[in-house]
Amino acid sequence: MNKTNDTLNNALIKGYDLDFGIVFEKAFENYKKIALLAGVTIILLVILFLALVGTIIGSLVGINSLTESLTDFSIFNFGIEYVLLYVGIMVLFSALLSPIGAGFLKMAHLAENNQDFSIGTVFDYFKTAYFKELFFSTLIVSIVNLGISTLLEYFAIPILGSIISYLIAFFTIFMVPLIIFCNLNAIEAIQSSAKLALKQPLIIIGLAIIGFFAIMIGLIGFCIGIFFTLPFWYSLNYTIYNQAVPIDKTSEIEEIGSFLE
């Protein structure tokens, strides 16, 4: 069992201290260590994603038809079966890519402990036993999130859908770290994340808001900077978790070999 589980139980029962200034400072220091490599990784992932999606869609509907349809595209112009298909594909896609976000958190952890990391670090959780829990936890959350958001958008109340999406993001902010650093299963991680988030809601929300504006600084200029400010979210997420449930330095990173499939 992961050595941080006792610390997690204490945090769930007694709560934890979270200092806004300390968390932001530590997150920024961590971000400086991963910003360049994480930014390059995100750019490569975006290029790969666009090429893959463009090729698939272009081959199915044709480039000209795709360009014309994008100008007034809305999933609700199609039948309910297509709406359900759209939601299903997006949910599955989010679940399949969930190990990438976990990989960025691992990158932040390695940087925090002055250990080596690379672009390949982002893909580490595709080849470990953690993949299953990351997949199912994200699948559950995405079904709820996208299902509610799509339904509310269908009834022309997207603002409420956005609010619910933000609330879900708040309650699940600790979900992925709990899986990869505490070895919890999907349901345990979702439940524990909600409980931990409610221990310090105002500070977590405040940090998330400031983090969002910090990331948006990357839009200045030619907008490409967003790729290099986006990694700040992973540093912030990691730091919030590490302050709430301090990670034992001999935990997941050193023991990861035993989880290889």
Side-chain angles (χ1 to χ4, degrees):
M1 179 176 291
N2 194 288
K3 296 180 181 179
T4 61
N5 278 40
D6 288 339
T7 307
L8 170 61
N9 290 332
N10 288 333
L12 289 171
I13 296 171
K14 301 177 181 179
Y16 53 90
D17 294 324
L18 203 62
D19 184 280
F20 188 99
I22 292 175
V23 170
F24 191 85
E25 181 181 356
K26 287 182 175 292
F28 186 69
E29 289 301 316
N30 181 271
Y31 163 72
K32 290 191 293 185
K33 296 178 182 180
I34 72 169
L36 181 59
L37 188 60
V40 171
T41 303
I42 291 173
I43 291 175
L44 293 176
L45 288 171
V46 170
I47 292 174
L48 180 62
F49 170 78
L50 292 178
L52 179 62
V53 172
T55 299
I56 294 174
I57 297 179
S59 62
L60 292 175
V61 302
I63 298 299
N64 292 333
S65 298
L66 175 63
T67 303
E68 294 173 1
S69 62
L70 284 177
T71 58
D72 58 349
F73 175 80
S74 173
I75 190 64
F76 299 109
N77 292 333
F78 302 91
I80 186 64
E81 64 274 15
Y82 290 99
V83 175
L84 293 175
L85 178 62
Y86 163 78
V87 172
I89 291 174
M90 294 303 295
V91 165
L92 182 60
F93 191 71
S94 298
L96 288 173
L97 293 184
S98 58
I100 291 179
F104 279 112
L105 290 177
K106 181 180 178 181
M107 185 182 289
H109 180 59
L110 290 170
E112 181 69 16
N113 292 283
N114 298 313
Q115 298 183 38
D116 294 335
F117 57 89
S118 65
I119 290 177
T121 301
V122 174
F123 303 98
D124 279 354
Y125 291 107
F126 280 101
K127 56 186 179 183
T128 71
Y130 293 113
F131 175 81
K132 181 183 70 173
E133 304 305 334
L134 290 168
F135 177 88
F136 282 115
S137 61
T138 304
L139 186 72
I140 294 169
V141 172
S142 296
I143 288 174
V144 175
N145 192 2
L146 281 172
I148 293 175
S149 298
T150 304
L151 183 64
L152 291 173
E153 186 175 349
Y154 180 79
F155 288 107
I157 43 177
I159 295 179
L160 182 57
S162 297
I163 293 174
I164 292 176
S165 292
Y166 291 137
L167 285 174
I168 292 174
F170 165 74
F171 284 117
T172 58
I173 188 170
F174 294 105
M175 182 183 74
V176 173
L178 284 169
I179 291 173
I180 64 177
F181 297 127
C182 270
N183 199 26
L184 299 189
N185 63 41
I187 300 300
E188 291 172 339
I190 293 171
Q191 293 174 338
S192 297
S193 177
K195 293 176 182 177
L196 285 174
L198 287 173
K199 296 292 183 181
Q200 295 283 1
L202 296 181
I203 295 179
I204 292 174
I205 292 173
L207 285 166
I209 292 173
I210 297 300
F212 170 79
F213 285 111
I215 292 170
M216 288 301 102
I217 293 175
L219 293 176
I220 297 176
F222 294 102
C223 298
I224 195 172
I226 192 69
F227 296 116
F228 295 97
T229 55
L230 186 58
F232 180 71
W233 172 251
Y234 296 104
S235 292
L236 182 62
N237 191 354
Y238 169 78
T239 304
I240 292 173
Y241 174 81
N242 198 25
Q243 291 295 298
V245 187
I247 303 169
D248 189 277
K249 291 185 179 180
T250 61
S251 63
E252 177 265 350
I253 296 302
E254 287 74 16
E255 298 172 357
I256 193 171
S258 63
F259 291 95
L260 292 176
E261 294 180 334

